[in-house]
Amino acid sequence: IARNRYRDISPYDQTRVILKGQADYINANYVNMEIPGSGIVNRYIAAQGPLPTTCTDFWQMVWEQHTSLLVMLTMKNERGRVKCHQYWPELYETLDYGALQITCVKEDAWPDHGVPDDPADFLDFVIKVRERRQGMVEPTVVHCSAGIGRTGVLITMETAMCLIEANQPVYPLSIVRQMRDQRAMLIQTASQYKFVCEAILKVFND
């Protein structure tokens, strides 16, 4: 219980990431999205934003899963509420997280637009993520605060882009069902679903 950010959001047992060690629990699930006709399987770990007490677990997971890309889809604080603990050191600083030492070597500022009115900024972001994922077989860790809302939007969008490129039909609801079989409640609100459908349409038309 102490390792969950929200009382009502827990990972499914069958797809949860199991840490090696005595404390094996982290609020995170494997989410694998297969792209028919292309041989591509996009591998993700959908996780909650770390708590002050779970940063060490988070980095242990990253290390054990050989992950080299983390996608954070929340601010640390939004509307006066803590959404995610800062789980990395300040620029040029090094911090210990259990057996691991983490150093921040570079920082790029990303403008804070809140929820985008226009899908274009979001699509630019997804394209950046995809560029960095090129050739990766290890899972990409994606998290927001609970690890279900914006996390689900990003996975849906990347899956749809891959389907379009593979000349496969895109059924957003089927993508959401496939995701939700692996982690509960991915894509949390009607407005998030509407937003991602509009973004998919834009990519399809472009």
Side-chain angles (χ1 to χ4, degrees):
I1 290 169
R3 291 173 180 213
N4 293 333
R5 181 172 285 282
Y6 301 101
R7 213 181 294 175
D8 57 340
I9 296 158
S10 304
Y12 290 144
D13 276 343
Q14 58 270 36
T15 55
R16 77 179 177 93
V17 179
I18 297 173
L19 302 177
K20 293 169 188 159
Q22 215 174 345
D24 74 358
Y25 179 80
I26 188 165
N27 192 320
N29 291 98
Y30 298 107
V31 178
N32 298 328
M33 301 301 286
E34 201 175 331
I35 311 301
S38 71
I40 294 169
V41 179
N42 288 330
R43 300 181 194 282
Y44 305 91
I45 289 172
Q48 73 175 14
L51 294 156
T53 51
T54 63
C55 292
T56 298
D57 298 335
F58 186 78
W59 284 113
Q60 185 186 338
M61 174 180 77
V62 168
W63 178 260
E64 288 174 359
Q65 300 298 322
H66 307 289
T67 292
S68 56
L69 180 63
L70 308 174
V71 183
M72 177 174 176
L73 298 167
T74 180
M75 305 296 286
K76 289 180 288 180
N77 298 286
E78 291 181 10
R79 296 187 196 133
R81 286 187 176 180
V82 177
K83 294 289 187 174
C84 181
H85 186 73
Q86 181 169 327
Y87 56 88
W88 65 93
E90 298 294 345
L91 189 59
Y92 308 128
E93 286 186 3
T94 300
L95 286 176
D96 290 345
Y97 294 93
L100 300 171
Q101 275 196 333
I102 309 295
T103 306
C104 182
V105 294
K106 185 170 177 275
E107 210 172 68
D108 284 328
W110 183 265
D112 172 26
H113 292 305
V115 175
D117 299 321
D118 182 350
D121 286 344
F122 170 65
L123 291 172
D124 287 346
F125 182 77
V126 178
I127 288 162
K128 277 195 170 119
V129 170
R130 296 190 71 203
E131 282 167 1
R132 284 175 169 76
R133 280 191 59 156
Q134 213 75 47
M136 261 184 213
V137 289
E138 308 79 22
T140 294
V141 172
V142 186
H143 78 83
C144 40
S145 185
I148 56 175
R150 298 175 201 181
T151 296
V153 170
L154 181 105
I155 295 171
T156 299
M157 193 64 234
E158 188 175 9
T159 304
M161 282 175 158
C162 290
L163 287 167
I164 291 166
E165 285 165 11
N167 292 318
Q168 295 289 326
V170 180
Y171 300 110
L173 205 54
S174 298
I175 297 173
V176 174
R177 283 201 187 108
Q178 195 184 340
M179 287 192 310
R180 285 183 168 197
D181 281 345
Q182 301 172 78
R183 182 169 172 87
M185 296 186 279
L186 283 165
I187 295 200
Q188 209 174 352
T189 65
S191 61
Q192 286 172 343
Y193 184 68
K194 182 171 182 276
F195 174 80
V196 79
C197 287
E198 285 167 357
I200 291 167
L201 202 59
K202 180 174 167 50
V203 170
F204 185 79
N205 289 334
D206 289 353

